[in-house]
Amino acid sequence: MDTSRDFNDSSFLEKLKAGFRDRYEEGREDYRQAYYGARELQGLDPEDARIKTTLATNPTFVTARDLIADTFPKAPERFKSEKIYRGQRDERGMALHSDRAVRGGQVLGTIANDLTQDNSRTLWWLLNAPQATGNVLNELALSKAAPELFAHEDTRVEVPVMVDGKPKRYDSDEYTKRNLDVHAKAVSAGLISQEGVKRKGIGQKDGKFTRRKYAPGDVASLAIPTGIAINAGIGLLNPLGGSGGYTAVLPSQDDMTRTSNVVGEVGAKYILGKTGNLLPYEEFSKYRPDVDIGEYNRYKAFKYDKDIDVNPFDDGQVTLPVGVAKFTMEGIHGPEAQFLGRSLPVTTTLVPYLGALLGGVAGVTNESPDKYGKKRRRPIKRGLIGGMAGLAVGSTTGLIAEELRRRASSNQVQTEGGNAEQYLQ
């Protein structure tokens, strides 16, 4: 909206309607273009960590931060609008109006826009699986530790002036020759096509081309160690069926732990994130004789209970509304978190994940000497090495801790009359 527009002769309702219409008509693409423009001005890649980009192009979150910046100028900067990004939105006619009635309409229009365009639901869609949430947290940590992963570097090559796909010709032969030379240099450097179209990974700042330092695919590969930790922990890496007392997603009639369709099993696990169910106790106890029938039944009751419980001190359990997330100190896997019904044992999932995350962060921030003895970072290579090393350490630590816990549980079962011989053997 043009903030210089005068609404003095308009009624309150007219102002409200004008503000509402202004924001309701906007699309997420408007915010995306402004965001990309602001990042290019700062010499950054258009895309940042996904959670940052998602929030920065969400009209509701952006408007809330604008209001915080205007209402509470002394609030911490992380809660307020980023100034360059806000400037880009202001230039595009997306500023909040100074008139209170118009501004109120803009807020209402933003809310209505959110409801019809599913803006805030995209945040949930980004986080609605353990693997996705783990990936987002890992990417956010890496972007904080090594911002250069999403940055551009100056090529020192000027941007030519183009007209209709050709270098502009000036009245002055000197200016024309210089522009042609700039164009030829940019083409020769692989920055633009003959028609002046930027190649992938190319931006511009202060009249010169920039090139992103690291390819998005390479940056995304830094999520491999944490991805392995999460997927292995919730049992998605076995293409042949279930593991450790669980059925296959598509069980065969002869053996519920084996799949009847390997392709379908892989698809259900990888694409849909499905996991098998607990085997009946008679079968489950063959894999986990350290778990008695009482513990098994208590765990099943916890797993399917959706009643809200926010007090962990009475029974060691927490359950958030509709069971979206849970935690128990005494599950069949020991301390365990659950997210959307997926089990995330502390020892065999969260500890390996944390190890992989910390190892990756240490790797991307590590400096090592090159062949000339000059210290430099190699964030992709060292981030992967650090992440895999952290995964190995975390997995080993978690497995040892889980083994000790199961042996202690097995001894207790045996003392109370259960049969733990199979497990101990």
Side-chain angles (χ1 to χ4, degrees):
M1 172 175 282
D2 182 2
T3 54
S4 64
R5 180 179 171 185
D6 186 2
F7 283 93
N8 290 333
D9 296 331
S10 302
S11 67
F12 175 84
L13 185 59
E14 289 174 333
K15 294 177 181 180
L16 199 69
K17 288 172 62 177
F20 182 92
R21 185 174 183 81
D22 170 64
R23 284 302 176 94
Y24 187 76
E25 290 177 341
E26 290 178 348
R28 197 179 185 100
E29 184 61 26
D30 297 320
Y31 287 82
R32 187 177 292 111
Q33 290 177 3
Y35 180 65
Y36 289 170
R39 287 183 63 81
E40 186 171 65
L41 285 175
Q42 299 172 78
L44 300 171
D45 202 48
E47 294 287 346
D48 198 350
R50 275 171 294 179
I51 188 67
K52 292 182 181 179
T53 300
T54 299
L55 294 178
T57 56
N58 182 303
T60 304
F61 281 89
V62 171
T63 300
R65 296 186 73 182
D66 284 350
L67 291 172
I68 291 173
D70 293 344
T71 309
F72 306 102
K74 294 184 178 181
E77 290 299 320
R78 64 179 177 274
F79 297 126
K80 298 189 294 185
S81 304
E82 198 276 320
K83 293 180 180 178
I84 297 178
Y85 177 33
R86 188 169 188 176
Q88 283 289 301
R89 286 185 282 110
D90 290 354
E91 290 181 10
R92 287 168 167 78
M94 300 167 66
L96 286 172
H97 202 278
S98 58
D99 185 277
R100 291 188 177 183
V102 178
R103 179 175 288 210
Q106 288 178 311
V107 172
L108 293 175
T110 299
I111 295 172
N113 179 296
D114 195 310
L115 295 174
T116 56
Q117 297 189 34
D118 291 329
N119 292 321
S120 292
R121 289 177 68 186
T122 58
L123 178 61
W124 171 247
W125 294 334
L126 178 65
L127 302 171
N128 67 354
Q131 307 96 308
T133 301
N135 198 355
V136 165
L137 291 175
N138 178 70
E139 188 179 56
L140 179 61
L142 293 174
S143 71
K144 293 287 187 181
E148 67 268 22
L149 289 171
F150 300 92
H152 278 216
E153 57 188 353
D154 187 2
T155 65
R156 299 184 179 181
V157 177
E158 294 182 35
V159 178
V161 179
M162 305 294 294
V163 176
D164 297 329
K166 297 179 180 180
K168 181 177 179 179
R169 293 182 176 275
Y170 296 86
D171 293 336
S172 168
D173 291 340
E174 180 182 353
Y175 284 175
T176 298
K177 181 179 184 303
R178 187 177 186 285
N179 194 45
L180 289 172
D181 290 343
V182 169
H183 173 264
K185 185 175 181 181
V187 172
S188 176
L191 302 174
I192 59 173
S193 66
Q194 286 288 347
E195 294 75 23
V197 179
K198 295 176 189 173
R199 302 295 188 185
K200 65 180 180 180
I202 303 302
Q204 67 183 70
K205 179 185 178 183
D206 299 332
K208 294 183 179 180
F209 287 110
T210 61
R211 178 186 281 114
R212 63 187 174 206
K213 292 183 177 181
Y214 304 101
D218 292 339
V219 175
S221 70
L222 295 173
I224 292 174
T226 51
I228 292 174
I230 293 288
N231 284 286
I234 62 179
L236 299 185
L237 297 186
N238 182 0
L240 302 179
S243 304
Y246 286 81
T247 69
V249 177
L250 303 174
S252 67
Q253 293 182 347
D254 299 329
D255 184 354
M256 296 177 68
T257 66
R258 308 289 291 182
T259 183
S260 60
N261 184 336
V262 174
V263 175
E265 184 84 7
V266 172
K269 288 181 174 179
Y270 179 73
I271 299 175
L272 302 179
K274 295 288 186 179
T275 57
N277 297 316
L278 282 171
L279 288 166
Y281 182 73
E282 293 75 12
E283 296 297 320
F284 178 84
S285 61
K286 296 177 182 178
Y287 296 90
R288 294 290 306 279
D290 60 302
V291 178
D292 62 31
I293 184 66
E295 184 180 359
Y296 175 87
N297 287 332
R298 285 193 298 273
Y299 179 74
K300 286 191 70 175
F302 161 76
K303 187 173 180 66
Y304 298 109
D305 181 21
K306 295 184 179 179
D307 292 338
I308 298 176
D309 179 3
V310 295
N311 181 11
F313 301 107
D314 55 352
D315 57 2
Q317 297 180 358
V318 172
T319 301
L320 298 185
V322 301
V324 63
K326 302 180 178 184
F327 182 80
T328 179
M329 287 297 296
E330 298 181 351
I332 60 175
H333 307 291
E336 173 186 321
Q338 288 195 7
F339 183 59
L340 295 177
R342 305 291 183 269
S343 298
L344 302 167
V346 170
T347 53
T348 56
T349 304
L350 298 184
V351 170
Y353 173 82
L354 187 60
L357 187 149
L358 294 177
V361 168
V364 298
T365 56
N366 178 265
E367 292 184 348
S368 60
D370 58 18
K371 62 181 180 180
Y372 302 107
K374 182 179 179 180
K375 285 190 174 182
R376 55 174 294 192
R377 289 186 181 183
R378 297 182 178 87
I380 304 300
K381 179 180 179 180
R382 292 195 171 275
L384 272 174
I385 293 174
M388 295 305 292
L391 173 63
V393 172
S395 297
T396 302
T397 302
L399 287 173
I400 291 174
E402 178 63 7
E403 178 68 13
L404 293 174
R405 188 197 68 80
R406 290 190 184 185
R407 284 187 174 274
S409 177
S410 180
N411 290 335
Q412 183 178 354
V413 171
Q414 188 177 34
T415 300
E416 295 175 354
N419 181 8
E421 293 180 2
Q422 178 183 348
Y423 175 77
L424 294 175
Q425 289 174 357

